[in-house]
Amino acid sequence: MSKTAVRALHILGVAGSAGGILYGLEKAVWIHWWIMAMVTGILLITFELMQSRLWLIQLKGVLTLVKLGLLSCFFILPEEKAALYVVVILMSVIVAHGPAGLRHYSIWHRRRIDEPKGRKKSLHG
C-alpha cells in the first residue's frame, strides 16, 4: 500500500469519526472510523520516521505528537472532545498545507532543516 493510499484512508477515518465526536453520538456509530484513523495515523508516523528521523524535531512531527497529546485528553476532558477535535483538525490543515519552511522548521535548530541531499530514503524503492 502506498503512502498516499494510507493517507487517503486516514482522512476517511478522521472524517468518519468527526460527526460522532462533534455531535456526541454513541461511540458504536463512529468507533470503527476512529480505529481506522488511529491505525493509519500510526502507519503514517512510521513511514515518516523510516524516511527521516529529522521528522521528530521538525514542526510537522512535533505538531503530530502534540495532536496525539490533545487526542489523549479525550479521556481526561471528555466534555471538551469536540473542541479538542476541532483544534487537532485545524493544526492538521495548517501543517499539511503550509509552506515547506513551516513544515520543515526545526524546534531544536530554530530554522528550517532538510535531509542532506542523497540521504533521503524513498519509500517506493
Side-chain angles (χ1 to χ4, degrees):
M1 218 187 296
S2 75
K3 189 175 174 183
T4 301
V6 173
R7 184 174 285 120
L9 291 173
H10 182 69
I11 292 169
L12 183 60
V14 168
S17 60
I21 293 169
L22 294 175
Y23 295 105
L25 301 178
E26 266 187 62
K27 189 184 279 189
V29 174
W30 55 269
I31 192 67
H32 57 285
W33 297 109
W34 176 260
I35 292 168
M36 180 194 297
M38 293 300 109
V39 169
T40 55
I42 290 168
L43 286 172
L44 290 170
I45 289 170
T46 302
F47 290 159
E48 291 293 343
L49 288 172
M50 285 172 35
Q51 205 167 9
S52 173
R53 303 273 181 199
L54 292 176
W55 182 85
L56 288 168
I57 60 172
Q58 291 172 322
L59 206 52
K60 60 185 176 177
V62 172
L63 290 181
T64 298
L65 299 176
V66 168
K67 290 187 304 184
L68 286 172
L70 290 172
L71 291 173
S72 70
C73 289
F74 279 19
F75 300 107
I76 301 166
L77 305 165
E79 67 282 353
E80 300 298 331
K81 245 185 225 181
L84 290 166
Y85 202 73
V86 168
V87 170
V88 168
I89 296 293
L90 291 173
M91 287 174 63
S92 298
V93 171
I94 290 167
V95 172
H97 297 283
L102 174 71
R103 292 189 317 273
H104 295 233
Y105 181 82
S106 166
I107 62 164
W108 182 263
H109 299 92
R110 299 195 185 273
R111 63 180 169 81
R112 177 184 172 157
I113 59 167
D114 293 296
E115 193 71 31
K117 297 277 187 210
R119 294 227 21 234
K120 193 170 189 177
K121 296 178 190 172
S122 172
L123 293 176
H124 304 291

